[in-house]
Amino acid sequence: ELPLAQFIAIKFSDIPKSIFENFITNHNIDVKIIEGDIYNALNASDFAIGASGTSSLEAAIMDVPMVIIYKFSDISYILIKLATRVPLIGLANIIAGKKIIEEFIQWKAKPENIAKTALDILKNPEKINSIKNEFSKVRLSLGDAGANVRAAGVVYDFINKKALGCRLDKKTVEAQGSREKKSAPGWCRLEEKK
């Protein structure tokens, strides 16, 4: 539906290039593979499809509309849903306090859903402007120097307010961030809320 569209796939060092090459060959699509250069790739993009994590915040900072996709193993997803009440997973959405980027999580992460939403956004300048307007608010809320610390604080507060039975311990976050201590799995230590 967008005949002039060009596609870029960002390959990180821990992913074998053959995975991309096999997919591209098997589906007869023209995709340029870029090795880990996310910022230049985003800078050259009108739209992005990315996993949760920092990609939504990076897209917001670089003013590139996107959708988020993420799939867990079924058992992990069920356990996470039972243990938490966190409604959003994209950092830009969490910082905004609302969904500004569509999130396709688990069973909703189907190619037809993602493509339909991506096309709907790309063909609608008003939606693009609305997303970019929300991105500017996210950037303003982060400020200049120390934005990473403020973003971590927003995520910390969000999870502690929304999570059930799971709260981030500030010492664990600081230790994980500095890589000095690895006592808690991931970023979350399971403790009762006080």
Side-chain angles (χ1 to χ4, degrees), residues 50-66:
S52 65
T54 60
S55 67
S56 71
L57 187 56
E58 291 164 334
I61 290 168
M62 297 187 74
D63 214 24
V64 179
M66 73 170 300

Side-chain angles (χ1 to χ4, degrees), residues 11 27 43 54 70 81 96 101 111 114 116 120 125 134 138-139 147 174 185:
K11 183 196 116 29
H27 291 85
N43 192 43
T54 60
Y70 204 86
K81 290 304 275 181
I101 299 171
I114 298 161
K116 181 180 182 294
D120 185 46
E134 294 296 333
V138 168
R139 286 192 303 275
E174 290 165 4

Side-chain angles (χ1 to χ4, degrees), residues 65-160:
M66 73 170 300
V67 294
I68 296 169
I69 58 171
Y70 204 86
K71 289 185 102 168
F72 301 88
S73 70
D74 288 344
I75 190 70
S76 293
Y77 180 72
I78 290 166
L79 291 173
I80 289 167
K81 290 304 275 181
L82 289 172
T84 66
R85 286 185 281 152
V86 179
L88 304 168
I89 66 167
L91 288 177
N93 289 340
I94 291 170
I95 291 167
K98 62 183 179 180
K99 187 186 289 186
I100 58 175
I101 299 171
E102 192 63 44
E103 298 182 351
F104 294 97
I105 311 305
Q106 204 61 14
W107 301 291
K108 292 179 183 176
K110 295 180 181 174
E112 55 275 7
N113 295 343
I114 298 161
K116 181 180 182 294
T117 299
L119 284 170
D120 185 46
I121 293 169
L122 284 166
K123 290 180 172 184
N124 189 331
E126 289 177 10
K127 284 188 180 183
I128 290 172
N129 289 335
S130 175
I131 292 169
K132 289 184 174 191
N133 183 46
E134 294 296 333
F135 282 171
S136 69
K137 294 175 188 174
V138 168
R139 286 192 303 275
L140 283 172
S141 73
L142 294 175
D144 295 324
N148 60 338
V149 174
R150 283 189 297 284
V154 169
V155 172
Y156 175 88
D157 291 341
F158 176 82
I159 291 175
N160 274 314

